[in-house]
Amino acid sequence: MGMLDKIKAKLASLGPDHGAMLRDALPADEVFLANATVVPAAFERGGGQADIFKAGINAVSSAMSKNKHVSGEPGSMARSLPLSGETRIMAVTSRGLSVWDFGVMMNEPATTPEYRIAREHITSFVDTGQRAQGGAIIWHVTFVDGSTFGYRSLGSSEGFADAVAQLRA
């Protein structure tokens, strides 16, 4: 374990236990399996750019990323998911996936998910083998309508890969 890994581990231990927070927020009949810190792989870049050149670069970069990480017809499941660049916590449960907003500092209480995806709508959830900036794992979810949506995982709880592997329609 390198020095950077030790620092990351120490900092991660200082944050809130999102798993415990999610267990408390979920209905009693929904079993929590694992969680990950995620952002859409095709998040919208930019915002508030006064420099037209930088704004153009961000627009092109966002479009290219969207083509790579989101597929499907207009109105498909993948195309209906938000592309906000905000960090969220994804919970994998006995019912499927839910994505939660714990605030900018990731420490505010979250009582309801931003959105849910029932497990019967998911045909696969796989690690693409690709890594984004900083080593983030790129995961792709395939839905029953054939559309796909990518997430960048910035870190996950133990058992996350096993939990998402069980998500099949």
Side-chain angles (χ1 to χ4, degrees), residues 110-126:
T111 56
T112 58
E114 253 185 37
Y115 60 90
R116 289 181 175 273
I117 303 168
R119 74 180 313 131
E120 58 264 15
H121 296 293
I122 300 168
T123 59
S124 71
F125 193 121
V126 296

Side-chain angles (χ1 to χ4, degrees), residues 77 119-123 142-147 169:
M77 293 195 68
R119 74 180 313 131
E120 58 264 15
H121 296 293
I122 300 168
T123 59
T142 304
F143 300 103
V144 293
D145 64 5
S147 64

Side-chain angles (χ1 to χ4, degrees), residues 141-157:
V141 181
T142 304
F143 300 103
V144 293
D145 64 5
S147 64
T148 61
F149 192 86
Y151 290 97
R152 290 182 185 202
S153 171
L154 310 174
S156 61
S157 67

